[in-house]
Amino acid sequence: MKINKILLVVALALMALSVYSYTDSVRRAERFERGQKFLQNLNPDSITEIAIKKGDETTQLRRDGDRFLVSDAGGYPAKNESINRFVRDVLELSLEKKVGDSESLIEELELSPGGENTTEVTFKDENQQEMVHFLIGKSLDDGGGSYIRRTDGDDNTIYLTSSRVYLNTGQDDFLNKEILNVESSEIAGIQGQGFAIQDQDGSLALVDLPAGKKESSKVNQLKSLLSGLRFTKHFLADAPEVQGLLFRSAVDIDLKDQSGYRVSVASKGDKHYLRIQGYHDVGQLSIAVDADEDEASQVADQLKRQNEIQEFNDFHGSWVYEVTETTADKVKVTAKDLVENA
C-alpha cells in the first residue's frame, strides 16, 4: 500500500512537471525575441499563389507545375529565380522590436490595406486557403527597419524589422522576358534579305563577299541575335495593340542540330515588334529495330528536339513581342548593310 502511495506521488509530480514544461514552452514561444523571424513556420513549398499589392499596382502569381505564371499579364511565365528571391527575402525578414497594436498607430505607420505606400502580400495554398497576409508600411528615415504586421490572425501586433524591407512588387520584376538564348557557336547558318552566312573553313562568314569589301560589324551583331533575345512588352497575338502589323523583315537562323528559328519584325511608329517560330529539318523520325546504341541515341535526341520545337511554337505562337530598336535593326539588316570597304 505504501509503495502504491509513493508511485501515485511520483506520477502526480511527473504530471505537474509536464504541465509546467508545456506552459513554459508556450510562454517562451510567445515571448518576443529580438532577431526572430517574422514568419517562423511558413513552408514555401506549400505556396501556390502570391498576391502583391502596392498602391494601385497589383501582381498576381500562381503556380503551374514547377513554375509560376503572372496571372494578370496574360498568364505569361515568371522567372523562377525572381519567385525564389521574393519568397526567400520574405522568409529572411527578422524583427527588431514590438511597436504596438492600436488603430491610431496602424493608421500612422501606413499599415492599413489599400494605403498608397503600403505593400500587401498574400500567400495561398493549393486549396485557395490564405496562409499568410501581411502589410509593410513606413520605414525609418535613417534607412533602418520597416514597420510590418500580419492580418491573417487575431494578433495585430506591429513590429519593426531589423533592416529596411525591399521587395520586388511589380509585374516587370517577375516576368521572364528572355525569349531565347542561343550562343553563336551553335549556329550553322543564317539566311536573310539577299544574303547568306554559312560555315566557311570552320567559321561563320558571309557568302560571296564582293571584291574590295569586308564584313561590317553588323555580321557579328546578327550572329548574336538569339543570344539573350528579350522583349520589353508582350501582347497576345490577337490583342488590338498588334493588329495590322506587317512582319516583312525576317531572318532564318539554322542551328547545328538541324533545328532553327525564323525571326520576323514589324514597326509601327517608333515601336518595334517581333514574332518567332522554330523549325526542325529532319522530318519524320523513328528508331529502327536493328539500330545500334549510337544510332538510337541520335534519333532519340532528334525526337526530343522536335518536341522542344513543337512546345516552343505552341507557346510563342500565341504572342507578339515589343522589342528595342537595336533588336529590330538586327533582323532588318540587308546584304548591303553587311559589307563595307576593305
Side-chain angles (χ1 to χ4, degrees):
M1 190 72 175
K2 185 176 181 181
I3 293 176
N4 289 338
K5 287 183 178 180
I6 293 173
L7 290 176
L8 178 60
V9 170
V10 171
L12 290 173
L14 290 174
M15 184 180 298
L17 180 62
S18 176
V19 170
Y20 171 79
S21 298
Y22 172 77
T23 304
D24 184 60
S25 66
V26 171
R27 189 182 299 114
R28 282 187 284 107
E30 292 177 346
R31 186 185 305 134
F32 175 79
E33 295 182 7
R34 182 170 176 263
Q36 74 182 44
K37 297 301 182 184
F38 176 56
L39 301 176
Q40 301 185 57
N41 302 311
L42 178 65
N43 179 8
D45 295 331
S46 299
I47 300 171
T48 60
E49 285 195 22
I50 303 172
I52 310 165
K53 188 175 188 303
K54 185 170 185 179
D56 295 331
E57 185 177 28
T58 301
T59 301
Q60 298 278 349
L61 306 159
R62 62 179 173 85
R63 187 187 292 276
D64 179 41
D66 59 356
R67 65 179 182 178
F68 272 81
L69 306 179
V70 186
S71 301
D72 41 0
Y76 203 86
K79 291 180 291 187
N80 282 341
E81 56 267 32
S82 295
I83 298 293
N84 293 338
R85 187 185 307 116
F86 181 86
V87 174
R88 184 184 66 241
D89 289 347
V90 169
L91 289 176
E92 289 180 352
L93 290 175
S94 59
L95 304 176
E96 181 68 18
K97 64 179 180 179
K98 283 185 175 183
V99 177
D101 59 6
S102 68
E103 288 298 325
S104 60
L105 200 56
I106 288 172
E107 193 70 27
E108 178 188 346
L109 299 179
E110 299 183 350
L111 285 168
S112 297
E116 182 180 353
N117 300 310
T118 305
T119 299
E120 296 181 55
V121 178
T122 305
F123 293 142
K124 291 185 179 180
D125 62 19
E126 61 182 1
N127 298 316
Q128 303 295 301
Q129 296 299 309
E130 189 176 89
M131 301 168 63
V132 172
H133 180 263
F134 65 92
L135 299 97
I136 305 166
K138 285 184 175 180
S139 298
L140 295 180
D141 293 336
D142 61 2
S146 301
Y147 295 103
I148 193 168
R149 76 179 181 105
R150 290 182 66 165
T151 62
D152 53 283
D154 297 329
D155 184 7
N156 284 324
T157 302
I158 301 169
Y159 295 94
L160 178 68
T161 59
S162 302
S163 58
R164 187 164 186 156
V165 179
Y166 295 98
L167 294 178
N168 289 331
T169 59
Q171 291 180 13
D172 275 1
D173 295 322
F174 295 95
L175 280 172
N176 182 8
K177 292 189 174 184
E178 184 176 271
I179 302 170
L180 203 58
N181 187 20
V182 178
E183 298 299 326
S184 58
S185 59
E186 300 179 46
I187 297 175
I190 304 173
Q191 293 78 45
Q193 301 177 66
F195 68 85
I197 297 173
Q198 295 178 354
D199 188 318
Q200 299 183 62
D201 299 324
S203 61
L204 287 175
L206 192 62
V207 176
D208 298 328
L209 185 65
K213 298 288 186 180
K214 66 177 182 179
E215 293 181 353
S216 72
S217 60
K218 293 186 181 296
V219 172
N220 282 333
Q221 292 174 13
L222 184 55
K223 292 177 188 177
S224 68
L225 174 61
L226 299 182
S227 178
L229 179 62
R230 298 174 61 84
F231 64 83
T232 56
K233 293 183 181 179
H234 66 296
F235 303 91
L236 285 166
D238 59 356
E241 294 92 336
V242 294
Q243 294 307 296
L245 293 175
L246 299 175
F247 291 85
R248 290 173 173 164
S249 300
V251 293
D252 290 338
I253 301 180
D254 302 325
L255 305 185
K256 293 176 180 178
D257 65 1
Q258 294 181 283
S259 67
Y261 298 93
R262 166 163 283 194
V263 184
S264 308
V265 297
S267 297
K268 185 177 181 181
D270 60 351
K271 298 184 182 298
H272 308 278
Y273 303 90
L274 178 147
R275 299 202 71 168
I276 187 167
Q277 181 179 23
Y279 53 83
H280 200 281
D281 292 336
V282 176
Q284 190 69 29
L285 289 169
S286 61
I287 300 177
V289 177
D290 59 348
D292 61 29
E293 186 176 341
D294 288 342
E295 291 173 333
S297 177
Q298 185 178 18
V299 173
D301 287 343
Q302 291 174 336
L303 285 168
K304 179 183 177 184
R305 182 59 177 151
Q306 276 190 339
N307 290 335
E308 290 174 349
I309 290 293
Q310 185 60 55
E311 291 175 1
F312 182 90
N313 290 338
D314 288 345
F315 177 75
H316 290 283
S318 301
W319 303 95
V320 173
Y321 301 105
E322 185 176 331
V323 295
T324 64
E325 184 176 10
T326 299
T327 297
D329 285 346
K330 290 180 182 180
V331 182
K332 292 179 180 180
V333 72
T334 64
K336 182 179 179 181
D337 298 324
L338 296 176
V339 297
E340 60 186 19
N341 293 329

